[in-house]
Amino acid sequence: MAATSSPSEEDLLCPQCSNIYCLPVLLKCGHNICRVCLQKFWEWKGCRECPVCRTVSVPGRPPINLALKIAADEYQVQRAGGNQEVCRLHNEKLKIFCQNDEEPICLVCQTSKQHKVHECCPVEEAAGQKKPEISTMLESLRKKLKILNKTKEHWEETKRYITTQADQNEKEIREEFEKLHLFLREEEKCRLKVLKQEEEIKRRVMCEKLETIEDQIKTLCSTISDVESALGKTDLAFLQDYKQTKKRAKCNIREPECIRDILINSATHLGLLKFGVWKKMMSLVKYVPITLDPNTAQSNLKFSEELTCVQYSNKQPLPDNPERCTSRVCVLGATGFTSGKHSWTVEVGQGKEWYIGVARESVKRKSTVFLNPTEGFWVIGLCNGDTFWAQTSPRTKLTLKQKPKRITVKLDYDKGKVVFINAADLTTIHTFSERFTERIFPFFSPGLYDEEKNSSRLTICPLTVTVDVE
């Protein structure tokens, strides 16, 4: 192929790799070699010889032949603008595909040192093999793109829901604190009212006492004035009024009384004020041993009373996060257990169908499963409003003397027992025995009631709160 610029094409070929120079360096002997080719040759040879004349090069990094590099780069640019179906080295049509280098070559290239031992085949045959391969890869890329787009939509939905969830939580927190604030304001108002009443009563008592003593002072002052006037008269006049003066001087004025407990009883109003208010708040505050986790709930469930009550409702737009149960209308407790004894009581109400118990953390939450120990569930339930079942495999029908309204679930993780007890008469309904190997969570699944018009509730019963002073 005739060169289109100076130097000629032959001058631009590396003597080591027979390709156009890529970053050529100039050796002391005057030969030019691609820097990468020279480095590989030196590593293979174990010394700094020139690949052409075997002259040993001086220590140090050989300089780049900038003029040759510019000429090689210009030649590559010019050649790139030419016919893409012709070999850039031999000006022959690209009819062969090298399987080793994975590139089209010409017949001359095939017989060259670079490709002589490589596996080659016609371009048409190679295209017939490689196109299905790339098509398969393309399909895989399209699937990945589809997954990424779907994941992006899911994440955007999750991002929006996080804001919605935060707003809902903020609203409920404010409502709960408003209840506490209202209680405190009412308690403050009540205590100030009692203080005011005590103040008014004791002020009125003191007013009455002051009126009495003022009358006594007035009477005594008048008597003193009259006696002093009598003493100033002549002897005859004094003696003539002696009896009357003596009688007045004997005025019976009682000693002022000692008024006790007349001051404001500060000890009653201020003593242990915060403790008294806190103790009184027990009627407002509830404590339950577990709460529900709405992030695990199926989208038809709604919650109330500080996440202690769940019931079936209208479907809500919720993100399909990994923790959420979508295969069943259920929710898990917020706290899991890996040891110890735990118990909670559930008010099952009048629902026609419900299931309560425990489930292991690894249960399948997105696909349909059976509620039995094999699948990681230890639960009992009510079906069709009249039949109780223990969800064993196969399930076991339970015979109960009376329909329980409250059921206590007792979990002994270390002994591997789950016991269900009728809270009304403390009779055992059913017991599961199992060896637990992972975290266990409370499980709740409320059912429908009254032909799907009204839903039944599952409510975690609060414990009795007491204050112990030691």
Side-chain angles (χ1 to χ4, degrees):
M1 173 177 167
T4 59
S5 63
S6 182
S8 65
E9 178 182 333
E10 288 74 12
D11 295 331
L12 300 177
L13 296 178
C14 173
Q16 182 68 12
C17 65
S18 301
N19 291 326
I20 301 298
Y21 282 116
C22 176
L23 205 59
V25 295
L26 179 62
L27 299 178
K28 182 181 178 181
C29 59
H31 291 109
N32 294 286
I33 309 290
C34 292
R35 188 165 71 176
V36 175
C37 295
L38 180 63
Q39 188 65 32
K40 289 182 178 179
F41 178 77
W42 282 356
E43 290 176 358
W44 172 76
K45 190 71 175 177
C47 62
R48 300 171 63 87
E49 288 184 355
C50 171
V52 179
C53 64
R54 300 295 187 250
T55 302
V56 178
S57 180
V58 297
R61 180 179 296 179
I64 296 175
N65 190 334
L66 186 59
L68 185 58
K69 177 182 182 302
I70 293 173
D73 290 345
E74 290 178 349
Y75 179 79
Q76 292 281 31
V77 172
Q78 293 175 0
R79 190 171 60 177
N83 190 351
Q84 298 296 320
E85 296 183 359
V86 175
C87 177
R88 290 177 290 186
L89 296 177
H90 308 107
N91 200 25
E92 297 287 338
K93 286 189 176 182
L94 301 173
K95 295 183 177 181
I96 306 298
F97 182 79
C98 176
Q99 298 283 8
N100 296 74
D101 293 338
E102 295 186 328
E103 62 179 3
I105 60 175
C106 68
L107 292 174
V108 179
C109 290
Q110 186 182 12
T111 59
S112 68
K113 179 176 64 175
Q114 183 180 358
H115 298 282
K116 189 173 183 179
V117 296
H118 289 179
E119 181 181 352
C120 301
C121 66
V123 168
E124 294 78 7
E125 181 182 338
Q129 294 175 351
K130 301 301 181 183
K131 282 185 177 181
E133 175 187 343
I134 298 301
S135 296
T136 302
M137 296 172 67
L138 176 62
E139 186 62 27
S140 176
L141 292 175
R142 285 172 177 166
K143 289 180 179 179
K144 289 181 180 179
L145 178 61
K146 185 177 180 181
I147 292 173
L148 290 176
N149 285 328
K150 187 175 181 180
T151 302
K152 179 188 175 185
E153 292 177 3
H154 172 65
W155 286 0
E156 288 176 345
E157 178 187 355
T158 301
K159 178 184 175 183
R160 290 191 297 270
Y161 181 71
I162 288 173
T163 302
T164 302
Q165 196 176 30
D167 292 341
Q168 291 175 345
N169 288 350
E170 179 181 352
K171 179 183 176 182
E172 293 180 13
I173 288 173
R174 291 183 182 279
E175 289 176 354
E176 291 302 321
F177 269 93
E178 181 56 32
K179 293 177 183 178
L180 297 176
H181 294 158
L182 178 61
F183 169 82
L184 292 175
R185 286 194 294 267
E186 291 295 327
E187 183 66 15
E188 177 187 15
K189 183 179 178 181
C190 180
R191 286 177 176 267
L192 291 176
K193 181 179 179 181
V194 172
L195 173 62
K196 194 68 176 177
Q197 288 175 346
E198 182 180 358
E199 178 193 9
E200 291 177 354
I201 291 173
K202 292 188 173 181
R203 280 176 58 86
R204 187 164 56 248
V205 170
M206 288 308 300
C207 287
E208 293 175 355
K209 298 295 183 183
L210 284 170
E211 287 179 2
T212 301
I213 201 170
E214 286 174 356
D215 290 341
Q216 290 177 339
I217 292 172
K218 186 177 180 181
T219 301
L220 188 57
C221 288
S222 178
T223 300
I224 292 173
S225 178
D226 291 344
V227 172
E228 289 176 345
S229 179
L231 290 172
K233 292 181 180 181
T234 62
D235 292 344
L236 180 59
F238 169 73
L239 293 174
Q240 286 177 338
D241 294 333
Y242 171 74
K243 289 183 178 180
Q244 186 65 27
T245 301
K246 182 179 179 180
K247 183 179 180 182
R248 297 197 64 182
K250 289 182 178 180
C251 179
N252 187 17
I253 300 296
R254 292 179 298 174
E255 291 292 329
E257 65 176 301
C258 180
I259 306 176
R260 296 184 180 278
D261 297 327
I262 194 62
L263 298 180
I264 297 295
N265 193 344
S266 298
T268 299
H269 298 290
L270 301 179
L272 298 176
L273 174 62
K274 291 187 284 294
F275 176 80
V277 174
W278 173 63
K279 188 174 181 180
K280 196 172 181 179
M281 287 181 69
M282 289 194 300
S283 61
L284 183 67
V285 176
K286 295 181 180 180
Y287 174 79
V288 294
I290 61 171
T291 54
L292 304 173
D293 183 3
N295 291 338
T296 67
Q298 195 267 352
S299 57
N300 282 94
L301 297 180
K302 71 174 183 178
F303 303 88
S304 60
E305 299 178 18
E306 298 179 337
L307 301 179
T308 62
C309 179
V310 59
Q311 66 184 129
Y312 188 90
S313 182
N314 297 326
K315 189 171 184 178
Q316 306 171 68
L318 302 178
D320 188 18
N321 50 299
E323 302 86 0
R324 192 171 305 283
C325 300
T326 57
S327 61
R328 282 189 173 273
V329 182
C330 65
V331 63
L332 301 180
T335 303
F337 309 110
T338 56
S339 63
K341 296 179 180 180
H342 311 275
S343 68
W344 56 94
T345 300
V346 183
E347 185 173 338
V348 296
Q350 300 297 325
K352 291 185 176 181
E353 183 174 345
W354 49 258
Y355 295 94
I356 60 173
V358 299
R360 64 183 176 216
E361 187 174 17
S362 63
V363 293
K364 296 178 181 178
R365 308 189 184 195
K366 309 299 181 183
S367 57
T368 303
V369 293
F370 294 102
L371 292 180
N372 58 46
T374 304
E375 301 287 353
F377 297 89
W378 296 268
V379 302
I380 66 170
L382 174 66
C383 297
N384 301 321
D386 57 3
T387 307
F388 292 89
W389 297 92
Q391 296 299 115
T392 54
S393 182
R395 63 179 184 171
T396 303
K397 186 175 182 179
L398 302 175
T399 302
L400 304 180
K401 295 181 180 179
Q402 58 180 0
K403 186 176 181 180
K405 295 182 179 180
R406 292 188 176 188
I407 298 176
T408 299
V409 183
K410 289 191 174 185
L411 168 66
D412 189 333
Y413 188 99
D414 301 321
K415 291 185 177 180
K417 288 186 178 296
V418 184
V419 183
F420 297 86
I421 299 173
N422 187 339
D425 56 11
L426 302 182
T427 56
T428 299
I429 299 174
H430 186 75
T431 300
F432 286 96
S433 295
E434 186 66 46
R435 182 176 177 271
F436 300 122
T437 58
E438 61 179 273
R439 191 179 299 273
I440 299 298
F441 285 84
F443 175 88
F444 304 85
S445 178
L448 303 179
Y449 183 66
D450 194 15
E451 298 179 355
E452 302 186 5
K453 294 180 180 179
N454 299 312
S455 60
S456 62
R457 289 184 169 192
L458 292 180
T459 304
I460 304 169
C461 300
L463 302 180
T464 302
V465 179
T466 60
V467 177
D468 295 329
V469 181
E470 296 183 356

